[in-house]
Amino acid sequence: MTEKDFISNNLDTSNLETGKFTWKTPSNIALVKYWGKKKHQIPENTSISFTLDACFTLTTLTFEKRHSELISESRHNFEVYFEGKKKEDFKPKIATFFDRIEQYCPFLKEYDYKIESRNSFPHSSGIASSASGMSALALCVMSLEKSLSGVEMTDEYFYKKASFLARLGSGSACRSVKGSIVVWGKHGEVEGSSNLYGVEFKDEVHSNFKNFHDTILLVDEGEKQVSSTVGHKLMFGHPFAEKRFEQAEENISKIKEILKSGDLKAFVNIVESEALTLHAMMMTSNPYFILMKPNTLKIINKIWEFRAETDLNLCFTLDAGANVHLLYPENEREVVNKFVVKELIQYCQNNHYICDRIGKGAKLLN
Ligand code: DP6
């Protein structure tokens, strides 16, 4: 599919005055990372993620028909509430999102909106809410489009376009729409994959990955030191960028096989290497950043000691921050949980951590 396939023209808004939709959408954790993008939110390399379950955003989009004399006004009209409070500072990002998706959803300007959102995780936890937040909003917009569309809209189109729109809000958000394992970026070995939207990974997945856990250790609960927008830009002219993008494509091929074979040792190796590569890219860019904190390193070393002692398959991954995601299979849960409580929680800010696991994707609540 191309961008043109996502333009909805001539939708009749005359029969829909007002209404609302609520979507609950999960966060996701990348195994092979997206870091570096071209114009229009096109990724430099393919990425793959596990969809989470307990970390989610709940968004209600209420819409009301605009007076016809206002429709030609250039800006979209909306109010944003986060956890019950009006949030002016959230508006610019959403305004940019509306502007970017305008050409694909021209009906948007015919309504006024109230956006009410909340996260299951603390806002200042250092967990990025852009993936779940933007996918929730994109799905609400799609529900509105579906109600306006005179013809039956297939689920396939609905979710593809939702992911397409979410991507325009935040790249990783396109992986928070549908499915437990999602691939974003055109890759020769992943059927149906595209730079424009995320697709559910449809290959056979070994039972070792069923109910996989992600315990998130909140090492640094502050705002992110480097926004992802700034971070992605660091890959322009980066001396190792091209090699990194090639490596990510190779890692997708490898992880595809690992997900099938259930080879947990190989999984650990690739996931940790991806996390450290992401941080290495930030350390070797100009300007350069170290986003890990001393406690991030302490945790990593503890994990490595734990693995050497137990031969279990607990591994870590990182986003563009200091928090650590602990990934491990269901059958190692008890031992790992004991280890986490005894050895790792001391390195978390205020002892905060979140127990999550692989989830299924977004859900419409009304
Ligand atoms: C390190 O999706 O937050 O989490 O497209 O600029 O909104 P924008 O970036 P964003 O980048 C996420 C980067 C990452 C890795 C990943 O999730 O793949």
Side-chain angles (χ1 to χ4, degrees), residues 320-331:
N323 294 336
V324 182
H325 289 248
L326 303 174
L327 300 179
Y328 50 98
E330 168 75 11
N331 63 359

Side-chain angles (χ1 to χ4, degrees), residues 62-326:
T62 308
F63 53 93
E64 200 177 322
K65 201 76 193 286
R66 260 182 138 173
H67 296 296
S68 51
E69 67 271 19
L70 291 176
I71 291 174
S72 58
E73 271 186 19
S74 59
R75 302 299 297 193
H76 296 98
N77 190 27
F78 61 91
E79 287 182 343
V80 188
Y81 292 80
F82 183 71
E83 285 166 359
K85 292 199 188 85
K86 206 167 180 178
K87 281 291 215 184
E88 290 300 322
D89 51 327
F90 281 24
K91 284 181 100 174
K93 191 157 185 187
I94 295 173
T96 305
F97 173 64
F98 277 137
D99 289 346
R100 284 184 188 162
I101 69 171
E102 162 78 27
Q103 57 175 311
Y104 305 104
C105 306
F107 59 87
L108 277 176
K109 276 202 181 133
E110 299 194 30
Y111 294 91
D112 292 327
Y113 303 94
K114 183 176 177 192
I115 300 162
E116 292 164 286
S117 204
R118 69 175 177 85
N119 294 335
S120 64
F121 47 91
H123 180 57
S124 61
S125 60
I127 298 181
S129 56
S130 66
S132 50
M134 282 299 170
S135 60
L137 192 52
L139 281 154
C140 288
V141 168
M142 278 313 291
S143 287
L144 172 58
E145 176 170 332
K146 191 175 173 180
S147 320
L148 293 172
S149 120
V151 288
E152 189 65 29
M153 185 186 286
T154 63
D155 273 359
E156 196 193 342
Y157 182 81
F158 179 91
Y159 286 110
K160 261 188 191 161
K161 185 165 174 184
S163 176
F164 173 87
L165 297 178
R167 182 196 104 243
L168 294 170
S170 176
S172 55
C174 78
R175 298 190 313 240
S176 274
V177 172
K178 194 169 186 285
S180 295
I181 305 178
V182 180
V183 176
W184 169 39
K186 179 108 196 92
H187 191 282
E189 290 168 35
V190 182
E191 218 188 300
S193 59
S194 167
N195 286 336
L196 301 180
Y197 44 82
V199 293
E200 199 171 346
F201 182 71
K202 285 276 176 57
D203 288 21
E204 192 188 327
V205 175
H206 194 278
S207 59
N208 280 351
F209 296 103
K210 208 173 162 218
N211 251 335
F212 221 72
H213 291 261
D214 179 0
T215 298
I216 310 165
L217 303 179
L218 304 175
V219 173
D220 182 21
E221 301 193 277
E223 284 280 307
K224 276 184 168 180
Q225 191 186 330
V226 182
S227 75
S228 36
T229 314
V230 172
H232 288 287
K233 282 199 184 126
L234 298 173
M235 292 304 272
F236 280 116
H238 190 297
F240 309 135
E242 284 314 312
K243 197 67 210 163
R244 157 61 196 155
F245 302 144
E246 271 172 40
Q247 177 201 41
E249 301 303 337
E250 285 159 18
N251 281 346
I252 293 283
S253 305
K254 286 184 192 160
I255 211 158
K256 182 179 137 107
E257 288 312 308
I258 292 167
L259 289 171
K260 188 173 169 192
S261 70
D263 183 344
L264 290 169
K265 301 277 175 264
F267 180 82
V268 166
N269 179 272
I270 214 160
V271 166
E272 291 191 347
S273 162
E274 273 289 321
L276 294 178
T277 302
L278 169 70
H279 282 253
M281 288 298 115
M282 284 180 264
M283 288 190 223
T284 49
S285 59
N286 204 345
Y288 38 79
F289 296 96
I290 299 182
L291 299 185
M292 291 187 227
K293 297 281 182 211
N295 281 351
T296 312
L297 286 174
K298 287 200 180 119
I299 291 167
I300 291 175
N301 280 303
K302 282 278 181 191
I303 292 169
W304 287 346
E305 277 169 26
F306 173 82
R307 273 215 308 271
E309 278 164 21
T310 61
D311 202 34
L312 292 179
N313 299 290
L314 166 68
C315 68
F316 70 85
T317 187
L318 309 163
D319 271 340
N323 294 336
V324 182
H325 289 248
L326 303 174

